[in-house]
Structure formats: C-alpha cells, structure tokens
C-alpha cells in the first residue's frame, strides 16, 4: 500500500514530523489499554506482560531520544505500534484490539492539552504573584493614568500593576476551565461507534487520570473543543501580555523614562552605543497575534466538519503545539522581565505632577457646590484654556480669574485641590486609586491569588 502512494501525498498526509510530541502520552495510554484488555479477559496476561515490557523499552527510547522512526511510519501511533511489534512479536499485533487511531489520537490530545493547561495555570499564577509583589513595592508611586495615550488622571503605579494582576488571575481561571474540559476519556469510542468487546473504560480513565468517560462515542472522536478552549485562553492571555509589552516599550523610552528593563532582557545596537532596546517587551507585544491566528485557523478547521473523524482534524496539532510553545515562552519572559525591572520614581512623579490632571477634581468640586456636571466641565475647560494660552499652571490663575469663571469656584478650595497628591487621594471609591482603597485591593488580589491557586473556580 505504502509503495503506491505519491510522495507529495505522503508529505501532505504524514503527521510524524510534528505528532512525535505525543509519543509519551501514546505510550502511557497503550500501557493502560493493555492492562485493561487483560483485566477484561480480551488478551492473556502473558500478552499484556509482553506488551508492557515492549512499551517500557519504547518509553525509554522516547525519553532518551533514541527512538528510531522508519520511512513507513505515517504517524506517531503507527510508529509506536510498529516498534512494539518488533519487540514483542505476535503480542504486539494485539495492542490495537478494541481501539482505533481515532479514539487514540483524541486521547493523546486530551492528555497533552491537560498537561499544557496545568502548566499554564501555574505560570499565570506565578506571573500574577510577581505582579502583586511589584505592586506592593510601588504601591504609592504617583504616575499619570492614560486614556487615548493622553494623560488623563493620576494614579498610583501599584494600582496600574494590579490591573495586570487581575488579568492574569482571570487567565489562570480560564486555563483551569480548559483542564476541566479534558476530563472525559475518549478512548473506548473505537472508530466512532464503540467496539465489539466489553471493555472497561473506567479502568483506563482511572489509570490515565481522566475523571470521567466520554458518554457518546460519536462525540468522543469528533471532539476537539478542549483544543479550541486552550487556544482561546492562550490567545486572551497572550493579548494581555502584549499590552504589558507595549507599555514597557513605551515606558522604557527616553521620552517616558518611567522604567528600565534589566540588561538581561534587552539588547544593544550594533552601531549606536547609547541604545538599549527592550526586545523582550517588543516580542511580548508581537507574539499575541500568532496565537490568535492559530485559534482562528482551528475554528476554520472544525467549522462545518461533518461528524465524526475527518483527516482535517490532524491539523489540530501544529496549531496547538506552536501556541503552547509560544505562550510558555512569553509567560516566562514576562515573569523574568518584571522580576528584574526598575521603575523611576522621579520621572513618574514629574509626569503625574501635571496639574491639568486635576481637571476632573476641579469639576467635581463645582458639582459638590451645586453645579451640574456638564456646566462644571465647561467652566474647567475655560480655565484650562486660559492657563494654556497664558503659559501658566492652573495654580497660577488668580482668585479674580477664578471668580470670573464661576462664582461657585471658591479659590482656597481650588488651590487645595492642586496641592501635592490631593487629586490622587480624592479617589475614595472601592477599586479606585486612593491609598485606602488601594490597600484593600492589594489584600483582595492576594486572597484571589490563593483562591485560584487552591483550584476552587
Ligand atoms: N494522524 C492522525 C491524526 O492526527 C491520527 C488519526 C488517524 N485516523 C484515521 N482514521 N486516519 O489525526
């Protein structure tokens, strides 16, 4: 059969070049399958022992990267079965009893995805923890908050960093949900309709760490939801990291000067000795669309696909594998970079000291004295224009000018609003930047972290 296949067909059809990564899972599930076949009286104990012995050899060859693939191996499942048969003779031919590559590959993929999601939970929690620590150390460092990348209202750096903590905590929860999606064991579904033997699927599930058995054989071999779920969680997480990366790029520029990434996370220029480029932050920014593309491609593969297995589904692997590798890399880079970053308190404070950032507070002062917010907004707009046009700060406007703008504008109150830090501490509401609320938030972030770590969704 193999000899009549066109070379290009083989290049297109063979998946060994990438699905070799499933080898450890494939071996593990074959061990469990052989155990179950013997326990159910489908093969003899002697055949089981021969299979287990051969699979142990294969496991070692895989671990030590000594496993030799041969020309006829179409995919990892066939390669391993071929090798088991070389080692165990006739018993090897019994391994594929009561199973199909369709339920086999779905099982390998669920195992791979479960482990990847488990690692992603740990890595997102670790990064969230680095962020909380960083926030605590910079809790009351003033900085400008931005909208439209225009200075809007001042905030504390601790507040800004905690925003990323919450994103990462949500990511961790999403990856926990992915783990949940890999709970049911596909193996035992056969090609699609079940198998002609009284197999014990619960036994295999228990051996392989699945906490349920897929209830419908047709669904079991058609299902790649858990792959989509991982890709969706990874796309969202990478998108968060891209926003972090983008901010670090801006902030480490000469123009902002808010932070400096450690030398270990930057490169110099080959011709401009003064330069330190935040490459890692730039790549955090750029990697997200790659994972989003894998998610989109995988939706493309699965949409409109008739039940049950179709070869299209072989495409799940490269999208998943590259996403896992990319995500793990950017999570590790973000963690390393933030562990070693330094922030520049003076530069942040200078930028936050821009009095125009108190505009909202002045408007609210008028509102508290009875003026409708829209009118107050207009009055403050006039004051800002007056100050800008005459090259002065807001606090340099005279009491006469203030009263002329509005009789409700009480000069003492106005100047007090512009005194140092006043317009940060005026933010009293829960979740806001005022230090009392911020300390509460820090506490809540720490307990949320413990909550996610403990595995309670
Ligand atoms: N290499 C295949 C895949 O990754 C394994 C399943 C093959 N099943 C089949 N009926 N041809 O999807």
């Amino acid at each position: 059969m193999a000899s009549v296949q066109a070379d290009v067909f083989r290049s297109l059809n063979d998946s060994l070049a990438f699905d070799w990564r499933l080898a450890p899972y494939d071996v593990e599930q074959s061990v469990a399958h052989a155990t179950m076949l013997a326990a159910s009286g489908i093969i003899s104990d002697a055949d089981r022992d021969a299979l287990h012995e051969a699979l142990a050899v294969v496991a070692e060859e895989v671990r030590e990267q000594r496993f030799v693939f041969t020309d006829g191996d179409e995919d990892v499942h066939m390669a391993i079965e071929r090798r088991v048969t070389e080692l165990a003779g006739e018993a090897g031919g019994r391994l594929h009893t009561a199973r199909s590559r369709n339920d086999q590959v779905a099982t390998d993929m669920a195992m791979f995805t479960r482990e990847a999601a488990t690692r992603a939970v740990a890595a997102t929690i670790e990064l969230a923890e680095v962020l909380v620590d960083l926030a605590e150390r910079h809790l009351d460092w003033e900085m400008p908050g931005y909208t439209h990348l225009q200075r809007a209202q001042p905030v504390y750096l601790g507040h800004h960093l905690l925003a990323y903590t919450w994103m990462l905590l949500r990511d961790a929860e999403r990856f926990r949900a992915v783990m949940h999606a890999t709970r049911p064991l596909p193996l035992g579904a056969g090609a699609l309709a079940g198998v002609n033997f009284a197999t014990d699927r619960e036994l295999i599930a228990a051996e392989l760490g699945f906490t349920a058995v897929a209830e419908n054989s047709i669904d079991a071999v058609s299902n790649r939801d858990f792959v989509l779920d991982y890709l969706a969680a990874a796309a969202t997480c990478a998108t968060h990291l891209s926003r972090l990366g983008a901010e670090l790029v801006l902030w480490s520029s000469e123009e902002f000067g808010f932070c400096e990434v450690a030398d270990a996370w930057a490169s110099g220029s080959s011709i401009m000795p003064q330069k330190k480029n935040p490459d890692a932050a730039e790549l955090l920014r750029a990697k997200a669309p790659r994972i989003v593309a894998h998610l989109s491609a995988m939706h493309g593969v699965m949409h409109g696909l008739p039940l049950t297995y179709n070869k299209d589904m072989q495409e799940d692997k490269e999208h998943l594998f590259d996403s896992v590798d990319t995500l793990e890399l950017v999570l590790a880079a973000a963690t390393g970079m933030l562990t070693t970053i330094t922030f520049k308190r003076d530069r942040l404070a200078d930028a936050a000291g821009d009095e125009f950032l108190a505009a909202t507070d002045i408007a609210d002062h008028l509102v508290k004295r009875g003026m409708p917010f829209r009118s107050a907004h207009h009055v403050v707009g006039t004051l800002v224009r007056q100050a800008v046009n005459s090259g002065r700060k807001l606090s340099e406007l005279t009491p006469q000018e203030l009263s002329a703008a509005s009789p409700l504008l009480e000069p003492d109150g106005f100047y007090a609003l512009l005194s140092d830090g006043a317009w940060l501490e005026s933010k009293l509401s829960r979740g806001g930047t005022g230090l009392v609320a911020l300390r509460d938030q820090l506490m809540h972030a720490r307990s949320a972290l413990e909550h996610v770590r403990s595995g309670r969704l």
Side-chain angles (χ1 to χ4, degrees), residues 13 15 19 74-75 77 100-102 105 224 309-311 313-317:
N13 190 53
S15 52
D19 70 11
E74 177 185 313
D75 60 21
H77 322 291
S100 148
R101 271 190 296 157
N102 296 353
V105 72
R224 291 294 184 277
Y309 178 83
N310 299 264
K311 202 50 174 279
M313 289 160 76
Q314 178 165 286
E315 282 290 298
D316 59 358
K317 290 167 199 68

Side-chain angles (χ1 to χ4, degrees), residues 275-291:
K275 285 197 76 187
K276 179 170 175 182
N277 302 322
D279 304 53
E282 293 170 88
L283 288 166
L284 287 193
R285 188 172 59 183
K287 291 289 188 188
R290 173 166 167 161
I291 297 182

Side-chain angles (χ1 to χ4, degrees), residues 114 185 200-213:
R114 187 211 298 153
L185 170 77
D200 183 351
R201 298 182 66 200
E202 281 76 13
L203 188 155
I204 298 190
E207 291 278 310
L208 297 179
F210 287 87
T211 51
V213 168

